[in-house]
Amino acid sequence: MRISDTFRPSAAPLALIVALALQGGALAFDVKEGPAPANPPPGMLFKSIGDSLREGLNALSSGNSEMAVQALGYAAREGNVAAQWKLGRMYAEGEGVRRDELKAYQHFSEIANRHADVSPDSPHARVVAQAFVALGGYHLAGIPNSRVKRNPVRATEMFHYAAAYFDDADAQYHLGRIFSEGVAGPRDLHQAARWFNLAAEKGHVPAQARLGQMLFNGDGVPRQGPRGLMWMQVAANKAFPGRDDWVVELNARARSVATEDERRLADAYLRKYERSGR
């Protein structure tokens, strides 16, 4: 099983990284015992770690990937979580560099090792949580020709930490998938529904679709056809074309077999949900 879009961390934290980078070094962390500060790459001098982070992001946006890796690498070695995250994403996606899942894994691991206990209320919490989600995905799939072997139990631990400590919707969704499919042990549809529900309430589209399907079919939970239809419709309305086509198809199939009364009540639930502003 290869890591797919389903188990990739969200790209949303990049906006957070850029915003914080512009605050002038606000992303630097106090690192307890560790290696001596690294020297800047030859020919590159930075006033601060925040300065090297901005230089790296600017270089990446201008297409100078070599300079971007050097500048971000300097900030990452100093323990800067934003630089570590961005480098991890670059190697995971092949953005300006050759795709290298092991290097991505190493950068995400550095975040998890250094910042696991950051407060859930910290502005950096989302990035740290997403690092755990990325690591969970790699442990779930394994990385070919590396020491990172497929380990669903370890993957579950990574997802669970991000889901429980950081209340991260992506992690909650992945836990729901693991329990619903029995990836790391016996299937537990009750637990799957619980985690899907937590993510769905946060607006997570795939979780809304999966929760709706379980409620509509009565899988592991008492059947609630209209409410299941509502969740699938909520998800279909926000589905991203191409990536979430399965969500739209799932909703269409369910509505085609639902009774007229179920569809009518589901639409009433939907109107109430939309008026709530969620």
Side-chain angles (χ1 to χ4, degrees):
M1 177 179 175
R2 297 283 293 157
I3 189 169
S4 65
D5 289 338
T6 303
F7 288 103
R8 284 180 184 166
S10 168
L14 178 56
L16 172 64
I17 290 171
V18 174
L20 292 177
L22 296 177
Q23 294 177 9
L27 282 171
F29 278 79
D30 290 330
V31 180
K32 298 178 181 179
E33 296 181 8
N39 293 322
M44 302 180 71
L45 296 176
F46 307 115
K47 297 178 181 177
S48 66
I49 294 175
D51 184 38
S52 69
L53 175 62
R54 288 190 296 275
E55 288 291 333
L57 294 174
N58 289 337
L60 185 63
S61 64
S62 65
N64 191 337
S65 57
E66 182 177 358
M67 181 176 289
V69 170
Q70 288 183 331
L72 291 172
Y74 171 70
R77 288 190 295 275
E78 293 297 296
N80 185 279
V81 68
Q84 291 164 346
W85 168 261
K86 187 54 187 173
L87 282 170
R89 290 284 298 180
M90 287 171 64
Y91 284 111
E93 303 294 332
E95 180 187 0
V97 294
R98 184 176 63 83
R99 188 164 180 259
D100 190 323
E101 292 179 318
L102 185 58
K103 285 186 178 180
Y105 176 90
Q106 291 167 341
H107 285 294
F108 294 138
S109 293
E110 190 70 15
I111 295 173
N113 290 335
R114 292 193 180 201
H115 310 298
D117 59 353
V118 66
S119 168
D121 297 324
S122 164
H124 316 302
R126 171 69 170 158
V127 173
V128 178
Q130 286 290 292
F132 276 95
V133 172
L135 292 172
Y138 285 122
H139 282 293
L140 192 64
I143 300 176
N145 304 314
S146 80
R147 60 182 176 80
V148 183
K149 307 302 180 184
R150 185 175 184 273
N151 189 337
V153 173
R154 184 63 172 155
T156 302
E157 293 172 352
M158 294 290 180
F159 290 139
H160 191 275
Y161 187 79
Y165 183 69
F166 291 108
D167 197 27
D168 185 86
D170 287 330
Q172 290 165 348
Y173 169 70
H174 296 324
L175 271 183
R177 287 287 302 277
I178 284 174
F179 282 116
S180 68
E181 298 172 14
V183 173
R187 296 177 72 201
D188 189 334
L189 296 180
H190 180 74
Q191 282 292 330
R194 172 177 175 263
W195 290 111
F196 283 147
N197 182 72
L198 287 170
E201 291 287 354
K202 297 179 181 67
H204 194 283
V205 170
Q208 291 170 337
R210 299 286 185 187
L211 175 64
Q213 182 184 36
M214 294 186 74
L215 289 170
F216 184 75
N217 293 334
D219 294 333
V221 294
R223 186 177 187 276
Q224 301 179 53
R227 195 161 296 280
L229 283 178
M230 182 210 75
W231 277 119
M232 283 186 279
Q233 187 64 60
V234 168
N237 289 347
K238 296 186 296 183
F240 191 84
R243 184 190 64 193
D244 298 326
D245 287 348
W246 67 272
V247 172
V248 177
E249 295 168 2
L250 187 70
N251 179 59
R253 287 198 303 270
R255 292 188 72 88
S256 71
V257 299
T259 66
E260 182 61 32
D261 285 344
E262 286 178 326
R263 289 193 292 269
R264 184 163 46 247
L265 187 53
D267 291 341
Y269 286 152
L270 179 63
R271 288 191 294 270
K272 182 177 180 180
Y273 178 89
E274 291 173 339
R275 284 196 300 271
S276 72
R278 287 185 290 177

